[in-house]
Amino acid sequence: KAGVTQTPRYLIKTRGQQVTLSCSPISGHRSVSWYQQTPGQGLQFLFEYFSETQRNKGNFPGRFSGRQFSNSRSEMNVSTLELGDSALYLCASRYELDTGELFFGEGSRLTVL
Amino acid sequence: AQKITQTQPGMFVQEKEAVTLDCTYDTSDPSYGLFWYKQPSSGEMIFLIYQGSYDQQNATEGRYSLNFQKARKSANLVISASQLGDSAMYFCAMRGSNTGNQFYFGTGTSLTVIP
């Protein structure tokens, strides 16, 4: 069974640009969540989608958005990039919302110059 | 609100020795789950062990055990017989039903195993 797949793994952008990250969950998993990880802040929750609906949302500005498709694949978008957006973005999937652990991808490492 | 606290930013342990990584939590949920994850330098978070709030027995998975003290709201991870490959960041996390089953993570502990 394939794990959670995130693309791209590494990317470099400049301030003001926008970026789209993709996440394919484990087959059969309907929930996808996104986290931002930085050395100073640890893992910060961005949002979670379940069956194409946003279920939970963290405390991030509106520049951060996401969506989930009917095949459970998810994308997150960051517009008007800032230097502080440089981070490892982790995607995680789970089968249901109220049971089980999160299964994580290897992350997308974004550098904003 | 849910909160997870890991007070040890860095820990060192001799190979083959046991080590305890501390985790305390704060929640008003009557039902919740506690998790530990390992993050090697590659970045992927690896699930290690789970403890439900109503579980009577402490969870064990191979060399990992979770020392669950509900009254103290602590969920410490014990790694026995440490190996060089155990060097990584370790995160404690909690999921509660009253907060939409969202996961909350601690700030992590960096473990270094010394040969």
Side-chain angles (χ1 to χ4, degrees), chain A residues 51-52 68-73:
Chain A
S51 294
E52 302 180 66
Q68 187 180 33
F69 302 96
S70 58
N71 62 358
S72 293
R73 189 178 71 85

Side-chain angles (χ1 to χ4, degrees), chain A residues 2-7 9 22-26 34 73-74 91 93 103-108:
Chain A
V4 178
T5 304
Q6 291 188 244
T7 56
R9 291 289 316 281
S22 179
C23 173
S24 293
I26 290 172
W34 290 89
R73 189 178 71 85
S74 176
C91 167
S93 74
F103 294 83
F104 283 85
E106 292 182 293
S108 293

Side-chain angles (χ1 to χ4, degrees), chain A residues 75-86:
Chain A
E75 288 181 349
M76 66 162 283
N77 184 275
V78 188
S79 62
T80 319
L81 284 166
E82 301 176 358
L83 296 179
D85 297 334
S86 294

Side-chain angles (χ1 to χ4, degrees), chain B residues 29-50:
Chain B
D29 271 350
S31 174
Y32 51 90
L34 296 157
F35 303 78
W36 277 92
Y37 284 85
K38 172 185 178 181
Q39 187 180 41
S41 56
S42 60
E44 184 178 358
M45 299 275 282
I46 301 165
F47 166 72
L48 296 177
I49 196 167
Y50 164 80

Side-chain angles (χ1 to χ4, degrees), chain A residues 11-19 78-83 85-86 110-113:
Chain A
L11 64 167
I12 299 172
K13 294 284 187 179
T14 56
R15 278 181 298 175
Q17 287 187 310
Q18 66 94 26
V19 66
V78 188
S79 62
T80 319
L81 284 166
E82 301 176 358
L83 296 179
D85 297 334
S86 294
L110 170 65
T111 301
V112 182
L113 303 176

Side-chain angles (χ1 to χ4, degrees), chain A residues 9 35 37 43 45 48 56 88 90 94 97-102 104-106, chain B residues 35 37 39 41-45 47 91 95 99-103 105-107:
Chain A
R9 291 289 316 281
Y35 293 83
Q37 186 178 22
L43 268 91
F45 173 72
E48 180 170 24
N56 293 303
L88 179 67
L90 289 164
R94 51 179 167 167
L97 287 177
D98 59 354
T99 59
E101 69 270 29
L102 293 173
F104 283 85
E106 292 182 293
Chain B
F35 303 78
Y37 284 85
Q39 187 180 41
S41 56
S42 60
E44 184 178 358
M45 299 275 282
F47 166 72
F91 291 91
R95 180 196 72 219
T99 49
N101 288 293
Q102 178 182 325
F103 274 71
F105 286 84
T107 51

